[in-house]
Structure formats: structure tokens, C-alpha cells
Amino acid sequence: MKKILVTGGAGFLGSHLCDRLIASQDDVLCVDNFFTGSKRNVAHLVGNSNFELMRHDVTFPLYVEVEQIFNLACPASPVHYQFDPVQTTKTSVHGAINLLGLAKRTNARIFQASTSEVYGDPEIHPQTEDYWGRVNPIGIRSCYDEGKRCAETLFFDYHRQHQLDIKVARIFNTYGPRMHPNDGRVVSNFIVQALQGKDITIFGDGSQSRSFCYVDDLIEGFLLLMKTDLSVTGPVNLGNPGEFTMLQLAELVLALVGGRSKVSFHALPMDDPRQRQPDISIAKSTLGWEPKVSLEDGLGETIAYFRNLLAL
Ligand code: NAD
Ligand code: UDP
Ligand code: UDP
């Protein structure tokens, strides 16, 4: 049994990670300030003697004794991370400093949930880990993109300077049950709109692309990366290479949900990346990992979740 800290553990990805860790008999400390996460996501774990839930903001120091840390705390959807952009940068940067300080003191292995956003609006396609990215430092996405880039810098400097055992994953768009219904991300928006018979809101002309990974596949990648030996630090891309335009996604969601929603077109947000697709060669060769769940199957599970949630 390992003592494992999960920051952002009451969020979408964090709660699925807590589930998997608890299932493998680990002792989990879930830390969250409930900005975008919710107690409902982990309510089924409360009462389990291996699970502890703590309200805490990672921008403040945290003194606990653990053997491993998964650092997921940070709002992930543009709507939420742009709500209080200064807090978003603080969460990534001060949060990383505090958790790296904690890892240094306790000699814990530490995982960072980084993002494909470090590549910005990329000039190379698909994105490989050695690509440095094209990020606007002063735009409305910068609090998230640059915050996550600086967090990566801190992870690699703590590794070089203090020999910390780090694991950095660059996560590409991931979806599934427990996504926040109002977080503005495309998959949850389209599903909720289709279920409610509202217009499907396409930003721009819908020709921009994303690659969507189902949550169970992603969490498997987290666990495999965390089990690698000391020499593996990442960054490692984790995502599903299947690439779809937003128009294709809208059509698929409409076909799966049925109903009478129409498609409506809206302005494209500033700095919205044109295309995004992970090159997962490193994850395949180092972790023996690749996604297994098709977009159709994953959307089916997600639609069932939202159908149930909206009926409450
Ligand atoms: P989420 O918003 O559901 O989860 C983030 C969690 O962090 C929430 O529970 C929130 O309350 C918590 N949090 C935010 N600020 C905090 C703070 N200062 N202190 C403590 N807790 C705080 O988002 P998610 O999709 O589960 O994302 C989890 C992590 O994965 C994030 O770091 C995100 O950047 C990264 N990521 C996610 C995706 C994706 O597609 N879901 C893609 C790339 C990276
Ligand atoms: N820190 C923490 N928990 C710990 C150890 C450190 O939150 O168990 C925080 C503390 O705020 C500190 C930061 O992590 O400022 C960085 O720690 P480090 O040891 O790298 O630097 P220093 O203590 O010299 O600032
Ligand atoms: N998008 C859209 N309609 C929506 C929400 C998002 O067309 O209702 C687009 C958005 O402009 C972007 C893509 O879908 O091009 C993915 O957006 P999301 O916020 O899910 O993720 P990110 O841009 O961070 O990859």
C-alpha cells in the first residue's frame, strides 16, 4: 500500500484516478479546493478507510507525508481557467513549487498533469515531444499555457538541481463521465446541447480539429508512466491520435443522441488552435500504451452519464 497524494482529486480526471488507486489498495489523500471539482465526484469513496478528502488550495504550502504525488490541480477548460486568470497561473506555478518542495522533503515521486496546450497553435503536425510550441505569452489562453509551461520548467529544474523523481505527461483533450456539464468544453457542450434539444454551437467554421481520448485510456497511461523507472521523466504525450473536426464531432454526437438539434455557428475564440493530434510513439515504446476506446464507444458512455445527470 502506497501513500499517494492526488491534487485536483475531486475533478474530472482526478476522481477517476482516485478510483483506480483505491481499487489497487493504495492509501489516497485527495486534495482539492473545489473550484471546478466537486465532492459528488468522490462521494462514493468517502467512508473508504483508504481514502481521505481535504479542502486545500495548492497555491499555499502543504505539509503531509506521502510516497507519491499526482499533481492535477488546475482548471482545464477555457471558460474556467479564464474566469480568474491570475489564480490560474498561481495554481500552476505556485502549486508546482509547493508540491515540488513537498516531493523534495518527502523524497516522493511526482507526476505533473501537463497539457498539449504547451504546443500552442502548432506548426508541426502531429505534435512530438521535442517540438517547443507556438504560444502567445499575452493572450487569453496564456494564463493556462504559460502557467503549464513554467510548471514543466520547474519540474525539470527540480529534477536537475535536486534529483527529484519526476514524471511529466502532456495530456491531449480527454472526455468521459464526470466532465463538468457547464465547463464549456466541446464534448460536454455538444452532448448537453443534443440531449436538451438546443442548437449545437460550433465555433468558427468547424474545420478545426482535435483528438479525443476516453478517460479510462488516459488514466491507464498515468499509472503506467508512474510505474516507470527513474530514468523516465517525460515529457510523454498521452492522447488518442484519432483526429476529428468539430463538424465531424457534432455529426457523431447528433447521430448517437438522436433528437432534433440544429447546428449553429459562432465566433471562434481568440488563439483557438487550428489542429491538434498527439504523436504517441514515445508512450507506445516506453509504456507499451495506446488508447483502446473508440470515439463512438466513449461518447456512448459519456452520453449515458449526462442523460442520467440531467434527469436528476
Ligand atoms: P477539472 O477542472 O475537472 O479538475 C481540476 C481540479 O483541480 C478540480 O477538482 C479543481 O477544483 C481543482 N483545483 C483547481 N485549482 C486548484 C487549486 N488552486 N488548489 C486545489 N485544487 C484546485 O479538470 P480535469 O480535466 O480533471 O483536469 C485535471 C488536470 O489535467 C489539470 O491539471 C488539467 O490542466 C490537465 N489536463 C486535462 C485535460 C483534459 O482534456 N481533461 C487536457 C490537458 C491537461
Ligand atoms: N513546501 C511545502 N511542503 C513541504 C515542503 C515545502 O508546501 O513539505 C513548499 C514551501 O512553501 C516551499 C516550497 O515548497 O517554499 C519550495 O520548497 P523548497 O524546499 O524547494 O524551497 P524553499 O523551502 O527553500 O523555499
Ligand atoms: N468548440 C466549439 N463549440 C463549443 C465549444 C468548443 O466549436 O461549444 C471548439 C473550440 O473553439 C475548439 C474546440 O471546440 O476549437 C475544442 O474546444 P475545448 O474548449 O473543448 O478544448 P481546447 O480548445 O482547449 O482544445
Side-chain angles (χ1 to χ4, degrees), residues 250-265:
E251 276 166 24
L252 189 53
V253 169
L254 279 172
L256 291 170
V257 172
R260 288 173 290 113
S261 292
K262 293 188 190 63
V263 164
S264 64
F265 292 88

Side-chain angles (χ1 to χ4, degrees), residues 60-64 97-102 104-106 158 162:
F60 295 97
L62 176 66
Y63 287 82
V64 290
I97 291 172
N98 287 327
L99 291 154
L100 287 161
L102 172 63
K104 185 177 136 204
R105 184 181 60 75
T106 57
Y158 268 82
H162 300 298

Side-chain angles (χ1 to χ4, degrees), residues 17-140:
L17 175 61
C18 288
D19 281 349
R20 287 291 303 270
L21 296 173
I22 289 290
S24 52
Q25 310 294 322
D26 287 311
D27 190 356
V28 176
L29 171 58
C30 169
V31 159
D32 207 294
N33 71 349
F34 304 116
F35 173 48
T36 51
S38 92
K39 288 181 204 156
R40 194 180 53 229
N41 286 340
V42 288
H44 57 287
L45 297 176
V46 174
N48 184 312
S49 56
N50 290 340
F51 182 79
E52 198 179 345
L53 179 60
M54 177 181 182
R55 181 190 290 269
H56 173 79
D57 185 320
V58 296
T59 62
F60 295 97
L62 176 66
Y63 287 82
V64 290
E65 308 311 311
V66 291
E67 292 152 86
Q68 289 190 352
I69 302 167
F70 285 90
N71 185 32
L72 273 62
C74 187
S77 90
V79 172
H80 285 143
Y81 70 64
Q82 287 162 13
F83 173 76
D84 185 349
V86 173
Q87 171 69 8
T88 300
T89 303
K90 283 186 188 170
T91 293
S92 277
V93 177
H94 292 186
I97 291 172
N98 287 327
L99 291 154
L100 287 161
L102 172 63
K104 185 177 136 204
R105 184 181 60 75
T106 57
N107 206 19
R109 173 167 286 197
I110 181 165
F111 171 104
Q112 168 67 357
S114 191
T115 168
S116 55
E117 290 283 327
V118 300
Y119 302 123
D121 193 2
E123 298 126 312
I124 68 146
H125 195 74
Q127 291 78 54
T128 46
E129 289 85 346
D130 57 5
Y131 175 54
W132 290 354
R134 185 162 77 110
V135 175
N136 176 358
I138 57 167
I140 57 171

Side-chain angles (χ1 to χ4, degrees), residues 224-290:
L224 288 170
L225 177 57
M226 202 56 159
K227 282 194 192 118
T228 52
D229 65 42
L230 268 173
S231 65
V232 179
T233 57
V236 181
N237 286 341
L238 293 179
N240 191 322
E243 187 184 353
F244 297 84
T245 66
M246 296 312 103
L247 277 175
Q248 288 174 316
L249 179 70
E251 276 166 24
L252 189 53
V253 169
L254 279 172
L256 291 170
V257 172
R260 288 173 290 113
S261 292
K262 293 188 190 63
V263 164
S264 64
F265 292 88
H266 304 264
L268 193 67
M270 183 184 166
D271 292 339
D272 200 271
R274 282 284 320 148
Q275 54 180 12
R276 201 183 278 144
Q277 185 193 30
D279 180 316
I280 58 165
S281 313
I282 291 185
K284 275 186 184 163
S285 61
T286 316
L287 313 177
W289 176 87
E290 66 182 314

Side-chain angles (χ1 to χ4, degrees), residues 76-79 81 116-117 141 144 173 179 183-190 193 200-204 206 208-210 212 246 249 266-269 272-274 276:
S77 90
V79 172
Y81 70 64
S116 55
E117 290 283 327
R141 293 175 88 101
Y144 184 73
N173 294 61
M179 287 183 93
D183 77 358
R185 275 185 273 187
V186 70
V187 173
S188 43
N189 268 13
F190 284 6
Q193 289 161 347
I200 306 289
T201 54
I202 295 196
F203 299 166
Q208 73 272 35
S209 71
R210 294 290 187 275
F212 299 102
M246 296 312 103
L249 179 70
H266 304 264
L268 193 67
D272 200 271
R274 282 284 320 148
R276 201 183 278 144

